[in-house]
Amino acid sequence: MKLKKMPSEFQKALPVLKKLHDADYEAYFVGGSVRDSLLNRQIHDVDIATSAYPEETKHVFHRTVDIGIEHGTVLVLENSGEYEITTFRTEDVYVDYRRPSKVLFVRSLEEDLKRRDFTVNAFALAHDGTVIDKFSGLSDLDNHLLRAVGNPEERFTEDALRIMRGFRFSASLNFDIEKLTFKAMTENADLLEKISIERTFIELDKLLTAPYWKKGISYLLEAKANQFLPYLVGKKAFLSEMMTNLAPDFLFSSSFQAWAFLIISIKQKEVKSFLRSWKTSNDFQKMVSQLIKLYEIREHRSLQLKDLYQFGKALAYSVEELRLGQGKAVQFDRIDYLDDQLDIHHKHDIVVNGGDLMKAFKLKPGPKLGQLLKQVEEGIVSKEIKNTKESIFAFVTEELKCE
Ligand code: ATP
Ligand code: MG
């Protein structure tokens, strides 16, 4: 079959294919962008596969960056765009269920397509719009089916991350998982323990923030894959509740929100340990922990000025969205009102700093000064002190008198 109209992202990249052709190499668009264009979805990152070896690709283009040369990937900067060009390759014996022990460059497109995970991810698109479909991906696309390329059992034992990718694509595409593919995913779910947790996190994160996340989680639970993921062992009932507690059309607006609600749903009190075992970044841990803290505050009281000051508007919105999704009372208007009321949003907004107080009151640096500054900050937030030099100095004078 032929694409009637090439999406503009591909059109823009056509000169890249042409340059490779002119140098007598084969080159195609491959991977998710071809799938997404066939589904009339927005394309992101255009990937190109070629028969040229990495060194050969580098000869064809003026501006290249070695971003993964050992896997055969060269980044090409052309026509104000960036394109990842990867040499056709096969992957030799997998010894640890996760990484090919050797990547072999080949000159055959078919060999390259064979090593891809799902039939709908294994298309190649030629420069003239011809879709090369070696594994009946087009019919799977029509039937909204996710099917492993080749023998599913082998494909998931080669690389168990594909199991997570399967749940993830069902969630992003709203596709059912073909029976034998799902059987192999289920039977090999224990291999997820062998996968680096960072890669697993990326897939579960994409799943949770996908439009059909409930479908992805349902498959994950049906395959009992949670039994092989950190802190999710024995949590099937809680994870099911996580879905039913939120309105049918509820979508997470950020990763923080999704993971926070997951942690709340499984009733995990040790938030930091959970996030550390998933090897998330410190910033991520901080955001998720804060979100959970505010969520818990909101379980038993209204928002106050100090909450807005401490957690900020974005986080407060995120918590209210979770409440709305569960049909609980919400305070979106109050967030805006309180935020407008705040005289300062950060301690740097205070007109007086520690140095000013030390000078004016002959104070030395130390705990007393720290405590005074904290009181001033809290006083301004609660509106007992104005954010003016006079008001702050008057407060400090009174405080020091009481000593
Ligand atoms: P997305 O739209 O999320 O980027 P994608 O299909 O492009 O989805 P990528 O992770 O970007 O997924 O990978 C690009 C392509 O590489 C896939 O479409 C697939 O053909 C192949 N691929 C990626 N990871 C694997 C894997 N673990 N096993 C086999 N093939 C893979
Ligand atoms: Mg991609």
Side-chain angles (χ1 to χ4, degrees), residues 32 44-45 47:
H44 49 107
D45 40 77
D47 293 327

Side-chain angles (χ1 to χ4, degrees), residues 30-36 41-42 44-45 47 89 91 94 98 112-118 120-123 149 155 158-163 165 168-169 172-173 199 203 206:
V30 288
S33 59
V34 183
R35 175 201 68 222
D36 289 342
R41 293 159 66 103
Q42 180 63 43
H44 49 107
D45 40 77
D47 293 327
R89 58 185 215 206
E91 288 159 2
Y94 289 71
R98 54 175 162 174
D112 181 88
L113 296 179
K114 256 196 219 164
R115 63 142 180 116
R116 294 177 182 268
D117 47 7
F118 299 101
V120 296
N121 285 348
F123 299 116
V149 170
R155 308 320 310 285
E158 276 167 9
D159 179 1
L161 186 73
R162 292 172 185 154
I163 299 170
R165 288 174 60 86
R168 189 261 278 196
F169 285 116
S172 59
L173 303 173
R199 295 175 81 207
E203 294 302 332
K206 286 187 178 175

